[in-house]
Amino acid sequence: MLYTIILTLIIVLAVYFFSRIGKKKVKPFPKRWHPLLMEHVLFYRNLSESKQVVFQQRMMQFLSEVYIDGVQLELQELDKILIAASAVIPVFGFEEWHYTNLSGILLYPDHFNEDLEFNSKGQLRNIGGLVGNGRFEKQMILSKKALYHGFANTTDKSNTGIHEFVHLIDKIDDVTDGVPERLLLAHQYAIPWLKLIHKEMEAINDNQSDIRKYGGTNEAEFFAVASEYFFERPDLLKKKHPELYKMLVECFRQDPNS
């Protein structure tokens, strides 16, 4: 446990140091990434060719602003592709977006526990990702296994990468409360949104909803879980939860069904 924590802290400090001395130059999109995106990212595959070009540009912009480091693994190109896609998908409806509350991402090989251990047998390892606080402020930790599963299974309404980036979007106003104030088009949406959240959470906790159970934990987790559903299975969400779907279209300024 101590070794893992020390190693993680060293990487976090290195990421912080490099982020302070300047951002990387935006590199051209590698053409060899296009077939990988087509194969692994359904959202990208469903875009028109012109919008795919925009998606590529947004990915490269993100990768120029955030450092990604592997913990006891060698980073692969697909790792960076899936992380960048996770970041771009929820904000693709905005003309411009920068994750000002993120400087670095640590990619673990597997799920981890509350002590950030991924190779321990003594404690349950069931965390696929988290957005850091305290000494891990502006850091994200992702499980490679969970990241890949989110894009490999397009029918389970779950995507860990998108989930964690939605938390960052929620946190852009410094409060992770399930109300993304900078996203909502007008203040009058806030109260209806909260009422809708509580209505849907009650249904989840009464086992009367197909929204993932974890969404009933609190408002912030509901927003992240509902967003996963929105981007993974927009057709089904629109059919089963039309009011929620309409609100998320307004929130993210995009309609995945269109």
Side-chain angles (χ1 to χ4, degrees):
M1 178 182 81
L2 182 60
Y3 171 77
T4 301
I5 292 177
I6 291 174
L7 178 62
T8 301
L9 281 172
I10 291 173
I11 294 174
V12 167
L13 288 172
V15 169
Y16 177 77
F17 173 76
F18 284 115
S19 68
R20 296 287 291 181
I21 63 175
K23 302 298 184 182
K24 296 181 291 182
K25 182 180 179 181
V26 179
K27 296 179 180 179
F29 177 80
K31 291 183 179 180
R32 64 183 179 277
W33 285 12
H34 173 69
L36 290 172
L37 279 163
M38 291 293 286
E39 178 182 356
H40 295 281
V41 182
L42 179 62
F43 183 94
Y44 177 85
R45 193 159 66 240
N46 288 337
L47 295 175
S48 65
E49 288 187 11
S50 60
K51 288 188 176 181
Q52 285 180 352
V53 172
V54 175
F55 194 94
Q56 295 167 8
Q57 295 168 345
R58 300 283 293 275
M59 282 179 60
M60 301 315 292
Q61 180 69 45
F62 171 80
L63 291 172
S64 76
E65 297 175 344
V66 175
Y67 285 82
I68 303 173
D69 283 297
V71 178
Q72 294 188 22
L73 61 81
E74 183 177 346
L75 280 177
Q76 306 297 316
E77 283 193 329
L78 187 57
D79 300 339
K80 296 179 182 180
I81 289 170
L82 295 184
I83 290 173
S86 300
V88 172
I89 287 170
V91 296
F92 193 62
F94 295 82
E95 290 187 9
E96 186 176 3
W97 183 275
H98 303 277
Y99 286 96
T100 55
N101 53 357
L102 179 68
S103 61
I105 298 172
L106 303 179
L107 186 64
Y108 279 21
D110 206 341
H111 291 72
F112 48 95
N113 59 30
E114 292 182 354
D115 293 323
L116 306 182
E117 299 174 311
F118 54 84
N119 52 9
S120 172
K121 296 181 180 179
Q123 187 175 346
L124 183 64
R125 295 181 291 109
N126 61 353
I127 303 174
L130 64 81
V131 173
N133 292 294
R135 68 177 186 269
F136 294 113
E137 188 69 30
K138 290 196 173 184
Q139 306 299 316
M140 178 187 292
I141 300 177
L142 283 173
S143 154
K144 177 171 180 172
K145 185 175 181 179
L147 174 69
Y148 275 60
H149 178 79
F151 285 97
N153 191 329
T154 58
T155 62
D156 64 351
K157 301 171 288 187
S158 177
N159 185 299
T160 297
I162 291 175
H163 182 105
E164 296 306 324
F165 279 100
V166 169
H167 276 320
L168 282 179
I169 294 167
D170 185 6
K171 196 179 180 183
I172 205 74
D173 58 358
D174 296 323
V175 182
T176 310
D177 57 0
V179 183
E181 293 179 10
R182 279 186 57 178
L183 289 182
L184 296 175
L185 297 179
H187 181 69
Q188 69 253 30
Y189 281 92
I191 293 177
W193 171 243
L194 281 171
K195 287 182 177 179
L196 181 58
I197 285 180
H198 293 149
K199 172 186 171 184
E200 295 285 355
M201 286 178 62
E202 184 176 349
I204 292 172
N205 293 323
D206 288 341
N207 295 315
Q208 299 295 320
S209 176
D210 69 326
I211 298 175
R212 188 156 61 93
K213 191 74 175 175
Y214 193 54
T217 305
N218 55 49
E219 290 85 350
E221 294 302 343
F222 175 84
F223 178 46
V225 168
S227 298
E228 292 177 79
Y229 194 158
F230 178 72
F231 290 109
E232 287 277 296
R233 291 297 308 275
D235 54 336
L236 189 62
L237 182 66
K238 186 175 184 178
K239 178 181 178 181
K240 289 184 171 289
H241 307 273
E243 187 180 2
L244 175 60
Y245 185 85
K246 182 179 179 181
M247 190 69 79
L248 289 173
V249 167
E250 296 284 348
C251 178
F252 291 112
R253 302 183 192 177
Q254 56 178 307
D255 187 345
N257 271 316
S258 62

